[in-house]
């Protein structure tokens, strides 16, 4: 998955696994990497299950960073999103969505004077592979 910062400051790549207990519900976990490390746990609810699959999703992104005082910090967030998955075949799909994330405990600066914002727009693009 590719997560793009809505303010154009960069992107985070991610790889993970998903479990779909039904055709409409999918649970997912992923590791994320940009200039800082993160993880994501969430779910998607598909409104349709054909080759075009609009969905609503939500979850919990967590990022790990170092603040101004060189203290290790954890920023836990909550995400809401809506998007479309296009089923290419039984084993491969592409997806894209627009999401809004709100983070808690984000005071401080990391990297090259970039501040973690409390609320951000984060669209995602991804490829989904199935066994």
């Amino acid at each position: 998955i590719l997560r793009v910062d809505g303010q154009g400051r960069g992107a985070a790549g991610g790889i993970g696994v998903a479990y779909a207990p039904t055709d409409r519900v999918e649970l997912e976990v992923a590791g994320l990497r940009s200039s800082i490390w993160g993880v994501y746990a969430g779910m998607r609810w598909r409104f349709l299950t054909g080759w075009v699959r609009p969905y609503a999703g939500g979850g919990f992104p967590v990022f790990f960073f170092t603040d101004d005082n060189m203290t290790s910090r954890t920023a836990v967030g909550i995400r809401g999103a809506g998007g479309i998955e296009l089923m290419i075949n039984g084993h491969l799909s592409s997806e894209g969505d627009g999401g809004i994330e709100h983070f808690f405990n984000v005071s401080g600066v990391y990297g090259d004077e970039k501040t973690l914002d409390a609320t951000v727009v984060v669209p995602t693009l991804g490829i989904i592979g199935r066994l």
Side-chain angles (χ1 to χ4, degrees):
I1 194 164
L2 176 65
R3 296 167 43 91
V4 180
D5 183 313
Q7 294 181 351
R9 295 174 293 196
I15 189 164
V17 295
Y19 171 68
T22 71
D23 286 344
R24 294 190 183 273
V25 175
E26 185 171 273
L27 307 172
E28 58 188 340
V29 295
L32 304 171
R33 178 70 176 138
S34 62
S35 59
I36 58 177
W37 287 95
V39 294
Y40 178 77
M43 61 107 23
R44 277 191 267 195
W45 171 266
R46 295 183 187 100
F47 299 107
L48 301 173
T49 59
W51 73 276
V52 175
R53 300 172 167 195
Y55 64 85
F60 302 95
V62 179
F63 284 96
F64 309 98
F65 66 101
T66 303
D67 68 13
D68 290 340
N69 300 319
M70 300 306 291
T71 302
S72 295
R73 304 282 297 270
T74 301
V76 177
I78 189 165
R79 173 181 171 82
I84 294 180
E85 176 184 335
L86 300 175
M87 188 170 169
I88 298 167
N89 61 38
H91 299 288
L92 192 64
S93 294
S94 63
E95 64 91 12
D97 66 35
I100 296 176
E101 298 178 357
H102 179 77
F103 288 94
F104 307 93
N105 194 32
V106 292
S107 62
V109 175
Y110 71 93
D112 300 311
E113 299 299 321
K114 296 177 184 172
T115 301
L116 285 173
D117 293 329
T119 303
V120 292
V121 174
V122 181
T124 67
L125 300 171
I127 299 294
I128 301 167
R130 294 179 181 82
L131 298 177

